[in-house]
Amino acid sequence: DAMVIQNPRYQVTQFGKPVTLSCSQTLNHNVMYWYQQKSSQAPKLLFHYYDKDFNNEADTPDNFQSRRPNTSFCFLDIRSPGLGDAAMYLCATSRDPIATEAFFGQGTRLTVV
Amino acid sequence: AQSVTQLGSHVSVSEGALVLLRCNYSSSVPPYLFWYVQYPNQGLQLLLKYTSAATLVKGINGFEAEFKKSETSFHLTKPSAHMSDAAEYFCAVQRGGSQGNLIFGKGTKLSVKP
């Protein structure tokens, strides 16, 4: 049974058109993460929520926003996608921030045209 | 600050041969270390983790890794490669403090030849 579910798996959006990626979890984990992974690169953390506490990485562009309306759901909003934002976006969860396994979703591959 | 370095962006082995994927870490505190595997167009799956218990860690699919503090290494091994092991492998260290999210290495792509 899928525990971290990302929708959609593939998303095509137009340059400059806002897009939202979604993530849900059935694990009741406290922490939810969003990573950006460009082709042949390591996943790069954009931000994470520890419960309702939002933590933004210093180098995450302002173009990227996130919402966590409840424990189960987390959204990634890209306000004005550029060609450079085309990537795989990975959502992950963990029970606690320290020493516990992170569970990843299947990812959403975003294409910007 | 914590970081990991994976030596070799691409490793190719024959089916049945030993798999050795190298990872060295840098950490100012005792690290928590992880190996993840990623198949094409998939998310990451945990293979194993080191959290300061036994230095030899056994994971899924026959993989294991040994934490060597003196060498600051956490290399991943498997005695006999299978075709299904072909994937990308990421070593990761957990960032310290309350913001314990993962910092990934650049990944090693493993190819397995028949």
Side-chain angles (χ1 to χ4, degrees):
Chain A
D1 293 332
M3 296 177 287
V4 182
I5 303 163
Q6 291 188 243
N7 283 305
R9 290 290 315 277
Y10 301 90
Q11 175 74 57
V12 180
T13 191
Q14 291 180 336
F15 182 94
K17 184 176 181 180
V19 65
T20 295
L21 310 181
S22 73
C23 177
S24 63
Q25 57 138 335
T26 60
L27 297 164
N28 204 34
H29 282 173
N30 293 314
V31 193
M32 294 187 78
Y33 309 87
W34 279 105
Y35 285 87
Q36 179 193 61
Q37 186 181 25
K38 295 188 176 181
S39 182
S40 302
Q41 295 186 22
K44 178 181 176 301
L45 183 68
L46 294 173
F47 26 58
H48 74 278
Y49 276 94
Y50 186 4
D51 197 13
K52 296 180 181 180
D53 185 21
F54 177 70
N55 298 274
N56 199 30
E57 292 299 295
D59 56 356
T60 297
D62 293 341
N63 197 27
F64 291 86
Q65 309 269 313
S66 185
R67 296 170 283 135
R68 189 179 186 186
N70 53 52
T71 301
S72 301
F73 286 88
C74 195
F75 300 98
L76 171 61
D77 300 308
I78 308 176
R79 292 192 295 185
S80 182
L83 297 179
D85 297 327
M88 174 78 92
Y89 290 87
L90 297 167
C91 174
T93 74
S94 65
R95 179 169 48 82
D96 297 298
I98 304 295
T100 58
E101 176 184 354
F103 291 81
F104 283 80
Q106 301 268 56
T108 295
R109 182 164 295 283
L110 179 68
T111 301
V112 182
V113 299
Chain B
Q2 285 79 13
S3 66
V4 290
T5 302
Q6 291 184 243
L7 299 175
S9 59
H10 193 185
V11 170
S12 182
V13 301
S14 297
E15 192 172 20
L18 171 72
V19 176
L20 170 61
L21 304 181
R22 301 177 186 272
C23 174
N24 288 89
Y25 70 89
S26 172
S27 178
S28 56
V29 297
Y32 296 134
L33 294 161
F34 303 78
W35 275 101
Y36 281 84
V37 60
Q38 185 178 33
Y39 298 98
N41 288 313
Q42 300 289 321
L44 280 72
Q45 180 183 9
L46 181 71
L47 282 175
L48 48 81
K49 66 179 180 181
Y50 168 77
T51 57
S52 75
T55 56
L56 182 62
V57 182
K58 294 187 184 296
I60 62 171
N61 301 340
F63 285 93
E64 62 182 38
E66 187 172 7
F67 174 74
K68 291 187 177 180
K69 184 177 179 181
S70 60
E71 299 178 6
T72 60
S73 70
F74 190 57
H75 301 332
L76 182 70
T77 60
K78 181 174 180 177
S80 178
H82 192 272
M83 296 296 291
S84 61
D85 295 327
E88 187 137 25
Y89 293 80
F90 290 94
C91 181
V93 63
Q94 195 158 47
R95 194 158 70 180
S98 62
Q99 306 299 321
N101 37 56
L102 297 171
I103 300 169
F104 288 91
K106 292 188 175 182
T108 298
K109 189 170 184 178
L110 176 67
S111 300
V112 182
K113 298 174 290 187

